[in-house]
Amino acid sequence: MSDGLGSEGNPLKVLIVGSGPSGFYAADALLKADTTVEVDILDRLPTPFGLVRAGVAPDHAKIKSATKAYDKISDNPNVSFLGNVTFGRDVSLAEIQATHHAVIFTCGAESDRRLGIPGEDLAGSHTATEFVYWYNGHPDYRDHVFDLSQEVAVIIGQGNVAADVCRILAKTVDELKNTDIAEHALDALSQSKIRDIHMIGRRGPAQAKFTHAELKEFGELADCDPVIDPAILDLNAASQAELEDKTNRSAIKNIETLTAFSQRPAGSKSRRLHFRFLEGPTELKGGEHLAAVTLMKNRLEGEAFNQWAEETGETVDLPCGLLFRSIGYRGVPVPDIPFDDKKGVFPNKEGRITNDGSVLPGVYCAGWIKRGPSGIIGTNRPDSVETVGSLLADLSGLDASQKPGGAGLRTLLEGKGVRVVSYEDWQKIDAAEIAKGEAKGKPREKFTRINDMLAALS
Ligand code: NAP
Protein backbone atom coordinates (compact mmCIF):
# COMPACT_ATOMS: atom_id res chain seq x y z
CA MET A 1 0.00 0.00 0.00
CA SER A 2 1.35 3.43 -0.95
CA ASP A 3 1.80 5.91 1.89
CA GLY A 4 1.46 8.94 -0.37
CA LEU A 5 -0.63 11.75 1.14
CA GLY A 6 -4.31 11.07 0.45
CA SER A 7 -3.82 7.30 0.19
CA GLU A 8 -5.48 4.73 2.43
CA GLY A 9 -2.20 4.30 4.27
CA ASN A 10 -1.84 8.05 4.82
CA PRO A 11 -5.23 9.81 4.65
CA LEU A 12 -5.24 13.55 4.11
CA LYS A 13 -6.25 15.02 7.48
CA VAL A 14 -7.92 18.40 7.27
CA LEU A 15 -9.18 20.58 10.09
CA ILE A 16 -11.98 23.03 9.31
CA VAL A 17 -12.34 25.94 11.76
CA GLY A 18 -15.99 26.99 11.82
CA SER A 19 -19.08 24.81 11.40
CA GLY A 20 -21.30 27.17 9.40
CA PRO A 21 -22.40 26.49 5.81
CA SER A 22 -18.97 27.10 4.22
CA GLY A 23 -17.36 24.69 6.71
CA PHE A 24 -19.80 21.92 5.86
CA TYR A 25 -19.54 22.61 2.12
CA ALA A 26 -15.74 22.41 2.39
CA ALA A 27 -16.07 19.07 4.23
CA ASP A 28 -18.45 17.82 1.54
CA ALA A 29 -16.10 18.85 -1.27
CA LEU A 30 -13.21 17.05 0.45
CA LEU A 31 -15.27 13.87 0.89
CA LYS A 32 -16.21 13.93 -2.80
CA ALA A 33 -12.56 14.25 -3.90
CA ASP A 34 -10.65 11.33 -5.32
CA THR A 35 -8.51 11.20 -2.19
CA THR A 36 -8.75 9.40 1.13
CA VAL A 37 -9.56 12.11 3.65
CA GLU A 38 -10.44 12.58 7.28
CA VAL A 39 -12.14 15.84 8.14
CA ASP A 40 -12.53 17.39 11.57
CA ILE A 41 -14.77 20.41 12.03
CA LEU A 42 -14.03 22.70 14.96
CA ASP A 43 -16.40 25.25 16.48
CA ARG A 44 -16.08 27.52 19.50
CA LEU A 45 -19.70 26.78 20.45
CA PRO A 46 -20.99 23.35 21.48
CA THR A 47 -23.58 23.76 18.70
CA PRO A 48 -22.83 23.61 14.95
CA PHE A 49 -24.25 25.50 11.91
CA GLY A 50 -22.96 29.06 12.45
CA LEU A 51 -25.34 31.65 11.04
CA VAL A 52 -27.95 29.05 10.09
CA ARG A 53 -28.55 28.68 13.82
CA ALA A 54 -27.57 32.14 15.05
CA GLY A 55 -28.22 34.40 12.04
CA VAL A 56 -31.19 33.20 9.99
CA ALA A 57 -34.35 34.82 11.35
CA PRO A 58 -36.50 32.57 13.56
CA ASP A 59 -39.55 33.13 11.33
CA HIS A 60 -37.63 31.87 8.27
CA ALA A 61 -37.70 28.20 9.25
CA LYS A 62 -37.46 26.97 5.66
CA ILE A 63 -33.98 28.48 5.24
CA LYS A 64 -32.83 26.55 8.32
CA SER A 65 -33.62 23.23 6.62
CA ALA A 66 -30.13 23.55 5.08
CA THR A 67 -28.93 21.77 8.24
CA LYS A 68 -30.41 18.48 6.99
CA ALA A 69 -27.63 18.36 4.40
CA TYR A 70 -25.05 19.13 7.11
CA ASP A 71 -26.39 16.23 9.24
CA LYS A 72 -25.84 13.93 6.26
CA ILE A 73 -22.26 15.15 5.83
CA SER A 74 -21.67 14.50 9.54
CA ASP A 75 -22.98 10.95 9.18
CA ASN A 76 -19.90 10.13 7.12
CA PRO A 77 -17.52 8.14 9.37
CA ASN A 78 -14.61 10.22 8.05
CA VAL A 79 -16.08 13.44 9.48
CA SER A 80 -15.99 14.43 13.13
CA PHE A 81 -17.12 17.52 15.04
CA LEU A 82 -15.14 19.11 17.84
CA GLY A 83 -17.42 21.68 19.43
CA ASN A 84 -16.74 23.96 22.39
CA VAL A 85 -13.16 24.52 21.19
CA THR A 86 -11.86 28.02 20.50
CA PHE A 87 -9.07 28.41 17.96
CA GLY A 88 -6.32 30.63 19.35
CA ARG A 89 -7.34 30.00 22.96
CA ASP A 90 -7.67 26.22 23.28
CA VAL A 91 -5.53 25.32 20.30
CA SER A 92 -2.90 27.17 18.25
CA LEU A 93 -2.02 27.05 14.57
CA ALA A 94 1.26 25.24 15.40
CA GLU A 95 -0.66 22.57 17.32
CA ILE A 96 -3.08 22.08 14.43
CA GLN A 97 -0.19 21.81 11.99
CA ALA A 98 1.18 18.99 14.16
CA THR A 99 -2.09 17.06 14.02
CA HIS A 100 -3.39 17.88 10.51
CA HIS A 101 -1.96 18.30 7.01
CA ALA A 102 -4.08 21.34 6.24
CA VAL A 103 -6.47 23.74 7.91
CA ILE A 104 -9.37 25.64 6.32
CA PHE A 105 -10.74 28.67 8.16
CA THR A 106 -14.46 29.10 7.63
CA CYS A 107 -15.05 31.33 10.63
CA GLY A 108 -17.34 33.81 8.87
CA ALA A 109 -17.72 37.51 9.56
CA GLU A 110 -18.54 37.81 13.25
CA SER A 111 -18.45 41.59 13.61
CA ASP A 112 -19.99 44.61 11.88
CA ARG A 113 -18.74 47.45 9.73
CA ARG A 114 -18.78 50.80 11.49
CA LEU A 115 -20.39 54.01 10.30
CA GLY A 116 -17.54 56.14 11.63
CA ILE A 117 -19.78 59.03 12.73
CA PRO A 118 -20.02 60.96 16.04
CA GLY A 119 -22.27 59.36 18.64
CA GLU A 120 -22.08 55.88 17.09
CA ASP A 121 -21.53 54.25 20.49
CA LEU A 122 -24.19 56.15 22.46
CA ALA A 123 -26.45 54.01 24.66
CA GLY A 124 -29.38 52.95 22.51
CA SER A 125 -27.23 52.50 19.37
CA HIS A 126 -26.45 48.87 18.54
CA THR A 127 -25.20 46.73 15.72
CA ALA A 128 -27.69 44.54 13.91
CA THR A 129 -25.48 41.57 14.80
CA GLU A 130 -26.05 42.10 18.53
CA PHE A 131 -29.80 42.08 18.04
CA VAL A 132 -29.81 39.13 15.61
CA TYR A 133 -27.58 37.00 17.86
CA TRP A 134 -29.70 38.02 20.88
CA TYR A 135 -33.06 36.97 19.43
CA ASN A 136 -31.46 33.80 18.08
CA GLY A 137 -30.14 32.82 21.53
CA HIS A 138 -26.37 33.05 20.85
CA PRO A 139 -24.71 32.56 24.28
CA ASP A 140 -22.41 35.59 23.84
CA TYR A 141 -25.40 37.92 23.45
CA ARG A 142 -27.80 36.25 25.89
CA ASP A 143 -27.59 39.09 28.42
CA HIS A 144 -27.72 42.04 26.02
CA VAL A 145 -30.47 44.54 26.79
CA PHE A 146 -32.32 46.57 24.16
CA ASP A 147 -34.49 49.47 25.24
CA LEU A 148 -37.78 48.38 23.74
CA SER A 149 -39.63 50.97 25.86
CA GLN A 150 -38.82 53.44 23.05
CA GLU A 151 -41.51 54.30 20.51
CA VAL A 152 -39.21 54.93 17.55
CA ALA A 153 -36.56 52.55 16.21
CA VAL A 154 -34.23 53.36 13.32
CA ILE A 155 -32.39 50.81 11.20
CA ILE A 156 -29.53 52.08 9.07
CA GLY A 157 -29.05 49.99 5.92
CA GLN A 158 -31.42 48.18 3.58
CA GLY A 159 -29.99 44.69 3.17
CA ASN A 160 -31.68 41.46 4.18
CA VAL A 161 -30.25 41.69 7.69
CA ALA A 162 -31.92 45.10 8.11
CA ALA A 163 -35.14 43.54 6.77
CA ASP A 164 -34.89 40.74 9.37
CA VAL A 165 -34.35 43.22 12.22
CA CYS A 166 -37.30 45.39 11.08
CA ARG A 167 -39.58 42.39 10.72
CA ILE A 168 -38.76 41.01 14.17
CA LEU A 169 -39.45 44.46 15.67
CA ALA A 170 -42.67 44.76 13.65
CA LYS A 171 -44.19 41.35 14.34
CA THR A 172 -46.61 40.57 17.12
CA VAL A 173 -45.94 37.94 19.76
CA ASP A 174 -48.51 35.71 18.04
CA GLU A 175 -46.51 35.90 14.83
CA LEU A 176 -43.32 34.87 16.61
CA LYS A 177 -44.35 32.54 19.41
CA ASN A 178 -44.30 29.35 17.31
CA THR A 179 -40.84 30.01 15.89
CA ASP A 180 -37.51 29.05 17.48
CA ILE A 181 -36.96 32.63 18.73
CA ALA A 182 -35.16 32.57 22.09
CA GLU A 183 -37.50 32.76 25.07
CA HIS A 184 -35.77 35.80 26.61
CA ALA A 185 -36.21 37.70 23.32
CA LEU A 186 -39.88 36.81 22.96
CA ASP A 187 -40.48 37.90 26.56
CA ALA A 188 -38.75 41.25 25.94
CA LEU A 189 -40.49 41.80 22.58
CA SER A 190 -43.87 41.08 24.18
CA GLN A 191 -43.32 44.26 26.25
CA SER A 192 -42.16 46.33 23.25
CA LYS A 193 -43.54 49.87 22.96
CA ILE A 194 -42.07 50.41 19.49
CA ARG A 195 -44.59 51.97 17.14
CA ASP A 196 -42.55 53.51 14.32
CA ILE A 197 -39.69 51.69 12.62
CA HIS A 198 -37.64 53.63 10.07
CA MET A 199 -35.49 51.69 7.62
CA ILE A 200 -32.98 54.10 6.10
CA GLY A 201 -31.22 53.68 2.76
CA ARG A 202 -28.47 56.01 1.63
CA ARG A 203 -29.37 55.37 -2.03
CA GLY A 204 -32.71 55.07 -3.83
CA PRO A 205 -35.47 52.46 -3.92
CA ALA A 206 -34.05 50.85 -7.07
CA GLN A 207 -30.74 50.25 -5.28
CA ALA A 208 -32.13 48.69 -2.07
CA LYS A 209 -30.30 45.44 -1.30
CA PHE A 210 -33.17 43.55 0.33
CA THR A 211 -34.60 40.84 -1.88
CA HIS A 212 -38.19 40.84 -3.03
CA ALA A 213 -39.30 37.88 -0.91
CA GLU A 214 -38.22 39.82 2.19
CA LEU A 215 -39.85 43.07 1.04
CA LYS A 216 -43.17 41.39 0.26
CA GLU A 217 -43.46 40.16 3.83
CA PHE A 218 -43.86 43.75 5.05
CA GLY A 219 -47.20 43.89 3.27
CA GLU A 220 -48.48 40.84 5.13
CA LEU A 221 -47.79 41.67 8.78
CA ALA A 222 -50.59 41.32 11.30
CA ASP A 223 -50.19 44.66 13.06
CA CYS A 224 -47.75 46.78 11.05
CA ASP A 225 -48.42 48.92 7.98
CA PRO A 226 -45.71 49.67 5.41
CA VAL A 227 -45.35 53.43 4.77
CA ILE A 228 -43.55 55.08 1.85
CA ASP A 229 -43.68 58.55 0.36
CA PRO A 230 -44.81 58.11 -3.32
CA ALA A 231 -42.58 61.04 -4.35
CA ILE A 232 -39.45 59.00 -3.60
CA LEU A 233 -40.52 56.53 -6.30
CA ASP A 234 -40.09 59.22 -8.94
CA LEU A 235 -36.79 57.72 -10.15
CA ASN A 236 -33.91 59.45 -11.91
CA ALA A 237 -33.00 58.42 -15.46
CA ALA A 238 -30.13 56.13 -14.42
CA SER A 239 -32.37 54.24 -11.99
CA GLN A 240 -35.01 53.85 -14.69
CA ALA A 241 -32.29 52.45 -16.97
CA GLU A 242 -31.38 49.96 -14.20
CA LEU A 243 -34.98 48.76 -14.15
CA GLU A 244 -35.06 48.33 -17.91
CA ASP A 245 -32.46 45.59 -17.54
CA LYS A 246 -34.63 42.45 -17.26
CA THR A 247 -31.90 40.60 -15.32
CA ASN A 248 -32.33 43.13 -12.50
CA ARG A 249 -35.40 41.18 -11.39
CA SER A 250 -35.31 41.76 -7.65
CA ALA A 251 -35.14 45.55 -8.11
CA ILE A 252 -37.95 45.52 -10.70
CA LYS A 253 -40.19 43.56 -8.34
CA ASN A 254 -39.14 45.68 -5.36
CA ILE A 255 -40.27 48.84 -7.16
CA GLU A 256 -43.61 47.22 -8.05
CA THR A 257 -44.16 46.26 -4.42
CA LEU A 258 -42.98 49.61 -3.00
CA THR A 259 -45.33 51.34 -5.46
CA ALA A 260 -48.21 49.14 -4.27
CA PHE A 261 -47.32 50.00 -0.65
CA SER A 262 -47.31 53.72 -1.49
CA GLN A 263 -50.82 53.46 -3.01
CA ARG A 264 -52.39 51.77 0.00
CA PRO A 265 -54.90 53.87 1.92
CA ALA A 266 -53.53 55.05 5.27
CA GLY A 267 -53.43 52.02 7.57
CA SER A 268 -54.71 51.73 11.11
CA LYS A 269 -52.39 49.10 12.49
CA SER A 270 -50.55 49.92 15.69
CA ARG A 271 -47.07 49.81 14.15
CA ARG A 272 -45.64 51.39 11.02
CA LEU A 273 -42.56 50.47 8.99
CA HIS A 274 -41.30 53.57 7.16
CA PHE A 275 -39.18 52.94 4.06
CA ARG A 276 -36.86 55.93 3.69
CA PHE A 277 -34.39 56.47 0.88
CA LEU A 278 -31.64 58.90 -0.13
CA GLU A 279 -30.69 59.62 3.48
CA GLY A 280 -27.44 58.82 5.28
CA PRO A 281 -26.66 59.23 9.00
CA THR A 282 -24.04 61.86 9.84
CA GLU A 283 -24.39 62.01 13.62
CA LEU A 284 -26.15 60.29 16.50
CA LYS A 285 -27.24 62.88 19.05
CA GLY A 286 -28.04 62.62 22.74
CA GLY A 287 -26.60 63.07 26.21
CA GLU A 288 -26.03 59.69 27.80
CA HIS A 289 -28.68 58.05 25.65
CA LEU A 290 -29.46 58.33 21.97
CA ALA A 291 -32.13 60.96 21.31
CA ALA A 292 -31.97 61.57 17.53
CA VAL A 293 -30.13 60.70 14.37
CA THR A 294 -29.10 63.41 11.93
CA LEU A 295 -29.76 62.32 8.35
CA MET A 296 -28.12 63.92 5.35
CA LYS A 297 -30.34 64.12 2.29
CA ASN A 298 -28.57 62.53 -0.68
CA ARG A 299 -28.99 62.53 -4.43
CA LEU A 300 -27.76 59.85 -6.79
CA GLU A 301 -24.76 60.48 -9.00
CA GLY A 302 -23.13 58.26 -11.60
CA GLU A 303 -24.20 55.88 -14.32
CA ALA A 304 -26.76 53.08 -14.11
CA PHE A 305 -25.54 50.30 -11.79
CA ASN A 306 -22.72 52.52 -10.54
CA GLN A 307 -24.71 55.19 -8.76
CA TRP A 308 -23.48 56.52 -5.45
CA ALA A 309 -25.06 58.71 -2.78
CA GLU A 310 -23.89 62.32 -3.03
CA GLU A 311 -24.65 64.55 -0.04
CA THR A 312 -26.87 67.56 -0.79
CA GLY A 313 -25.97 69.48 2.39
CA GLU A 314 -29.56 69.42 3.63
CA THR A 315 -30.06 67.54 6.89
CA VAL A 316 -33.00 66.47 9.01
CA ASP A 317 -33.05 65.24 12.62
CA LEU A 318 -35.13 62.13 13.27
CA PRO A 319 -35.87 61.68 17.00
CA CYS A 320 -35.30 58.07 18.09
CA GLY A 321 -34.23 56.17 21.19
CA LEU A 322 -33.16 52.90 19.58
CA LEU A 323 -30.98 52.48 16.50
CA PHE A 324 -29.44 49.51 14.75
CA ARG A 325 -26.53 49.82 12.33
CA SER A 326 -27.02 47.16 9.66
CA ILE A 327 -24.46 48.12 7.04
CA GLY A 328 -22.71 44.79 6.55
CA TYR A 329 -20.82 42.22 8.57
CA ARG A 330 -17.06 42.18 8.96
CA GLY A 331 -14.56 39.40 9.72
CA VAL A 332 -12.45 39.46 12.88
CA PRO A 333 -8.75 38.57 13.14
CA VAL A 334 -7.60 35.37 14.87
CA PRO A 335 -4.13 34.65 16.32
CA ASP A 336 -1.35 33.66 13.90
CA ILE A 337 -3.38 34.36 10.73
CA PRO A 338 -2.80 37.48 8.60
CA PHE A 339 -5.77 39.86 8.40
CA ASP A 340 -6.72 42.42 5.77
CA ASP A 341 -8.00 45.17 8.02
CA LYS A 342 -9.38 47.23 5.15
CA LYS A 343 -11.58 44.47 3.76
CA GLY A 344 -12.16 42.60 7.05
CA VAL A 345 -11.12 39.26 5.51
CA PHE A 346 -8.12 36.89 5.53
CA PRO A 347 -5.92 37.85 2.54
CA ASN A 348 -6.02 34.94 0.11
CA LYS A 349 -5.56 33.75 -3.45
CA GLU A 350 -8.37 31.37 -4.41
CA GLY A 351 -8.66 30.36 -0.77
CA ARG A 352 -4.90 30.04 -0.07
CA ILE A 353 -4.16 32.39 2.84
CA THR A 354 -1.32 34.77 2.05
CA ASN A 355 1.04 36.89 4.09
CA ASP A 356 2.36 39.92 2.18
CA GLY A 357 1.46 38.09 -1.03
CA SER A 358 3.24 34.81 -0.12
CA VAL A 359 1.09 31.72 0.35
CA LEU A 360 1.09 30.13 3.84
CA PRO A 361 1.48 26.41 3.01
CA GLY A 362 -1.46 24.26 4.11
CA VAL A 363 -3.55 27.19 5.42
CA TYR A 364 -6.79 28.03 3.60
CA CYS A 365 -10.06 29.91 4.01
CA ALA A 366 -13.57 29.81 2.56
CA GLY A 367 -16.86 31.65 2.93
CA TRP A 368 -17.32 35.16 4.31
CA ILE A 369 -13.85 35.30 5.89
CA LYS A 370 -12.49 34.68 2.37
CA ARG A 371 -14.68 36.86 0.13
CA GLY A 372 -16.53 39.16 2.53
CA PRO A 373 -20.15 39.04 3.72
CA SER A 374 -22.15 38.56 0.56
CA GLY A 375 -24.60 36.10 -0.92
CA ILE A 376 -27.02 33.56 0.44
CA ILE A 377 -26.23 30.23 2.15
CA GLY A 378 -25.88 28.41 -1.19
CA THR A 379 -23.31 30.96 -2.45
CA ASN A 380 -20.88 29.38 -0.01
CA ARG A 381 -20.89 26.02 -1.77
CA PRO A 382 -18.96 27.04 -4.93
CA ASP A 383 -16.74 29.23 -2.75
CA SER A 384 -15.77 26.23 -0.58
CA VAL A 385 -15.40 24.03 -3.65
CA GLU A 386 -12.88 26.53 -5.05
CA THR A 387 -10.85 26.49 -1.83
CA VAL A 388 -10.85 22.69 -1.65
CA GLY A 389 -9.75 22.67 -5.31
CA SER A 390 -6.76 24.84 -4.34
CA LEU A 391 -5.94 22.54 -1.42
CA LEU A 392 -6.07 19.41 -3.59
CA ALA A 393 -3.96 21.06 -6.26
CA ASP A 394 -1.35 21.79 -3.57
CA LEU A 395 -1.34 18.22 -2.21
CA SER A 396 2.09 17.27 -3.51
CA GLY A 397 3.61 20.31 -1.79
CA LEU A 398 2.10 19.64 1.67
CA ASP A 399 3.96 17.99 4.54
CA ALA A 400 3.15 14.31 3.81
CA SER A 401 4.20 12.85 7.18
CA GLN A 402 1.64 10.76 9.06
CA LYS A 403 -0.46 12.98 11.34
CA PRO A 404 -2.65 11.97 14.30
CA GLY A 405 -5.65 13.97 12.98
CA GLY A 406 -8.83 14.42 15.01
CA ALA A 407 -7.99 11.69 17.54
CA GLY A 408 -4.67 13.38 18.28
CA LEU A 409 -6.26 16.80 18.55
CA ARG A 410 -8.96 15.48 20.87
CA THR A 411 -6.31 13.95 23.16
CA LEU A 412 -4.40 17.24 23.17
CA LEU A 413 -7.52 19.23 24.03
CA GLU A 414 -8.70 16.84 26.72
CA GLY A 415 -5.21 17.03 28.23
CA LYS A 416 -5.81 20.78 28.54
CA GLY A 417 -9.16 20.17 30.26
CA VAL A 418 -11.30 21.22 27.29
CA ARG A 419 -14.72 19.50 27.21
CA VAL A 420 -14.86 18.62 23.51
CA VAL A 421 -18.44 18.28 22.24
CA SER A 422 -18.88 15.58 19.57
CA TYR A 423 -21.62 15.43 16.93
CA GLU A 424 -23.36 12.74 19.00
CA ASP A 425 -23.25 15.16 21.95
CA TRP A 426 -24.74 17.90 19.76
CA GLN A 427 -27.53 15.53 18.73
CA LYS A 428 -28.38 15.11 22.43
CA ILE A 429 -28.47 18.90 22.87
CA ASP A 430 -30.60 19.11 19.72
CA ALA A 431 -33.06 16.50 21.02
CA ALA A 432 -33.31 18.27 24.39
CA GLU A 433 -34.00 21.62 22.67
CA ILE A 434 -36.68 20.07 20.46
CA ALA A 435 -38.31 18.45 23.50
CA LYS A 436 -38.26 21.79 25.39
CA GLY A 437 -39.87 23.52 22.41
CA GLU A 438 -42.56 20.92 21.88
CA ALA A 439 -44.42 21.89 25.04
CA LYS A 440 -44.69 25.49 23.75
CA GLY A 441 -45.54 24.68 20.14
CA LYS A 442 -42.06 25.79 19.02
CA PRO A 443 -39.69 23.84 16.76
CA ARG A 444 -37.14 24.11 19.58
CA GLU A 445 -36.34 26.13 22.66
CA LYS A 446 -32.63 26.85 22.40
CA PHE A 447 -30.20 26.59 25.26
CA THR A 448 -28.70 30.06 25.46
CA ARG A 449 -25.95 29.35 27.97
CA ILE A 450 -23.01 27.07 27.31
CA ASN A 451 -23.24 25.59 30.82
CA ASP A 452 -26.84 24.56 30.14
CA MET A 453 -25.81 22.93 26.85
CA LEU A 454 -23.08 20.96 28.62
CA ALA A 455 -25.41 20.10 31.50
CA ALA A 456 -27.79 18.52 28.98
CA LEU A 457 -25.00 16.03 28.22
CA SER A 458 -24.42 14.86 31.76
P1 NAP B 1 -25.87 44.01 2.51
O1 NAP B 1 -26.84 43.22 1.72
O2 NAP B 1 -24.52 44.25 1.92
O3 NAP B 1 -26.58 45.43 2.83
C1 NAP B 1 -25.87 46.45 3.47
C2 NAP B 1 -26.72 47.72 3.46
O4 NAP B 1 -26.01 48.72 4.20
C3 NAP B 1 -26.97 48.31 2.07
O5 NAP B 1 -28.23 48.89 2.06
C4 NAP B 1 -25.87 49.37 1.97
O6 NAP B 1 -26.17 50.41 1.07
C5 NAP B 1 -25.88 49.91 3.39
N1 NAP B 1 -24.65 50.61 3.75
C6 NAP B 1 -23.37 50.17 3.65
N2 NAP B 1 -22.51 51.10 4.12
C7 NAP B 1 -23.27 52.14 4.53
C8 NAP B 1 -22.99 53.41 5.11
N3 NAP B 1 -21.74 53.77 5.37
N4 NAP B 1 -24.01 54.22 5.38
C9 NAP B 1 -25.29 53.87 5.12
N5 NAP B 1 -25.64 52.69 4.59
C10 NAP B 1 -24.64 51.83 4.29
O7 NAP B 1 -25.56 43.36 3.95
P2 NAP B 1 -26.45 42.55 4.99
O8 NAP B 1 -27.85 43.02 5.04
O9 NAP B 1 -25.65 42.57 6.25
O10 NAP B 1 -26.48 41.07 4.41
C11 NAP B 1 -25.27 40.31 4.25
C12 NAP B 1 -25.54 39.15 3.31
O11 NAP B 1 -26.38 38.19 3.95
C13 NAP B 1 -26.27 39.59 2.05
O12 NAP B 1 -25.75 38.89 0.94
C14 NAP B 1 -27.70 39.18 2.32
O13 NAP B 1 -28.48 38.96 1.18
C15 NAP B 1 -27.49 37.91 3.13
N6 NAP B 1 -28.70 37.61 3.93
C16 NAP B 1 -29.68 36.90 3.34
C17 NAP B 1 -30.85 36.67 4.03
C18 NAP B 1 -31.95 35.88 3.36
O14 NAP B 1 -31.71 35.27 2.32
N7 NAP B 1 -33.16 35.91 3.88
C19 NAP B 1 -31.03 37.15 5.31
C20 NAP B 1 -30.01 37.89 5.91
C21 NAP B 1 -28.84 38.13 5.19
P3 NAP B 1 -25.45 50.48 -0.37
O15 NAP B 1 -26.21 49.54 -1.24
O16 NAP B 1 -25.60 51.90 -0.76
O17 NAP B 1 -24.01 50.06 -0.19
Side-chain angles (χ1 to χ4, degrees):
M1 193 190 298
S2 154
D3 274 356
L5 187 55
S7 66
E8 275 188 37
N10 187 12
L12 169 67
K13 295 181 179 169
V14 181
L15 185 79
I16 293 173
V17 179
S19 68
S22 39
F24 277 99
Y25 294 135
D28 193 40
L30 284 162
L31 294 171
K32 286 177 175 156
D34 189 18
T35 303
T36 306
V37 290
E38 289 177 21
V39 184
D40 299 296
I41 307 177
L42 201 84
D43 204 290
R44 72 186 179 89
L45 293 178
T47 53
F49 308 146
L51 280 187
V52 179
R53 178 178 165 99
V56 172
D59 56 342
H60 280 177
K62 230 167 136 188
I63 301 179
K64 294 176 196 244
S65 61
T67 60
K68 287 188 189 138
Y70 310 153
D71 281 335
K72 265 201 186 138
I73 294 165
S74 297
D75 280 346
N76 188 305
N78 292 323
V79 175
S80 84
F81 176 67
L82 294 93
N84 199 34
V85 181
T86 300
F87 174 81
R89 185 194 69 188
D90 299 326
V91 64
S92 68
L93 180 64
E95 286 168 325
I96 288 172
Q97 286 171 324
T99 54
H100 290 76
H101 298 106
V103 53
I104 305 178
F105 287 90
T106 55
C107 40
E110 285 199 274
S111 175
D112 295 74
R113 293 177 56 205
R114 286 183 66 79
L115 284 166
I117 59 172
E120 184 158 7
D121 296 315
L122 275 177
S125 163
H126 308 270
T127 64
T129 308
E130 289 170 55
F131 191 59
V132 169
Y133 280 159
W134 171 76
Y135 64 62
N136 277 324
H138 190 301
D140 292 358
Y141 297 81
R142 166 70 179 78
D143 297 317
H144 270 53
V145 176
F146 300 94
D147 183 2
L148 299 170
S149 71
Q150 299 291 330
E151 292 198 355
V152 180
V154 167
I155 290 79
I156 306 293
Q158 291 185 329
N160 279 335
V161 171
D164 286 347
V165 169
C166 289
R167 204 176 58 255
I168 296 299
L169 288 171
K171 278 195 165 179
T172 61
V173 169
D174 277 351
E175 288 173 291
L176 293 171
K177 69 180 185 198
N178 299 121
T179 72
D180 71 357
I181 189 167
E183 190 174 33
H184 61 256
L186 189 63
D187 287 348
L189 287 163
S190 72
Q191 305 297 316
S192 169
K193 299 275 185 297
I194 300 213
R195 290 291 166 263
D196 288 281
I197 304 160
H198 297 259
M199 191 202 228
I200 315 276
R202 62 179 169 180
R203 298 191 290 156
Q207 290 78 37
K209 290 256 176 73
F210 46 66
T211 41
H212 184 250
E214 275 64 28
L215 175 62
K216 220 171 58 153
E217 286 182 80
F218 290 109
E220 298 157 0
L221 299 178
D223 199 23
C224 181
D225 287 310
V227 180
I228 173 167
D229 175 3
I232 205 82
L233 293 162
D234 186 9
L235 305 180
N236 68 350
S239 297
Q240 286 175 27
E242 289 176 13
L243 297 178
E244 274 156 28
D245 181 339
K246 297 290 174 239
T247 62
N248 193 12
R249 286 195 50 201
S250 190
I252 295 168
K253 294 183 87 180
N254 279 352
I255 294 294
E256 282 169 15
T257 297
L258 289 168
T259 305
F261 287 170
S262 75
Q263 291 166 350
R264 284 186 178 199
S268 57
K269 293 178 178 172
S270 58
R271 289 182 181 147
R272 288 156 296 278
L273 189 282
H274 305 263
F275 291 92
R276 299 175 64 134
F277 299 93
L278 295 170
E279 291 176 332
T282 55
E283 185 179 356
L284 303 193
K285 290 180 173 165
E288 295 207 340
H289 197 282
L290 173 70
V293 52
T294 303
L295 298 168
M296 171 68 69
K297 298 272 178 196
N298 296 328
R299 64 169 183 272
L300 290 173
E301 291 283 347
E303 292 176 1
F305 296 109
N306 277 314
Q307 297 190 79
W308 66 88
E310 188 69 39
E311 296 185 350
T312 63
E314 185 193 340
T315 60
V316 58
D317 277 2
L318 172 61
C320 63
L322 184 62
L323 180 140
F324 296 99
R325 289 111 61 193
S326 183
I327 61 166
Y329 288 109
R330 185 182 152 80
V332 292
V334 298
D336 299 330
I337 303 296
F339 188 70
D340 180 336
D341 198 44
K342 207 167 156 208
K343 295 186 182 150
V345 299
F346 293 169
N348 71 90
K349 290 180 186 159
E350 291 157 352
R352 298 174 177 93
I353 296 184
T354 58
N355 194 9
D356 289 334
S358 310
V359 169
L360 295 186
V363 186
Y364 302 85
C365 60
W368 280 6
I369 197 62
K370 169 188 174 188
R371 69 173 193 278
S374 65
I376 56 172
I377 291 171
T379 316
N380 294 299
R381 184 189 282 281
D383 186 305
S384 293
V385 166
E386 180 191 64
T387 293
V388 168
S390 297
L391 191 163
L392 295 172
D394 296 346
L395 213 56
S396 61
L398 297 181
D399 169 11
S401 59
Q402 295 273 356
K403 304 264 184 179
L409 182 55
R410 202 173 289 267
T411 304
L412 177 93
L413 289 162
E414 284 166 359
K416 294 184 186 189
V418 179
R419 168 61 168 100
V420 180
V421 171
S422 66
Y423 212 76
E424 291 70 33
D425 288 336
W426 149 244
Q427 285 169 326
K428 285 183 201 154
I429 294 172
D430 187 32
E433 288 189 344
I434 291 170
K436 273 205 301 168
E438 219 160 10
K440 302 176 186 172
K442 297 175 75 171
R444 72 175 61 241
E445 186 61 65
K446 287 178 189 167
F447 291 111
T448 57
R449 298 197 190 278
I450 289 177
N451 282 346
D452 293 340
M453 296 175 190
L454 299 182
L457 301 176
S458 54

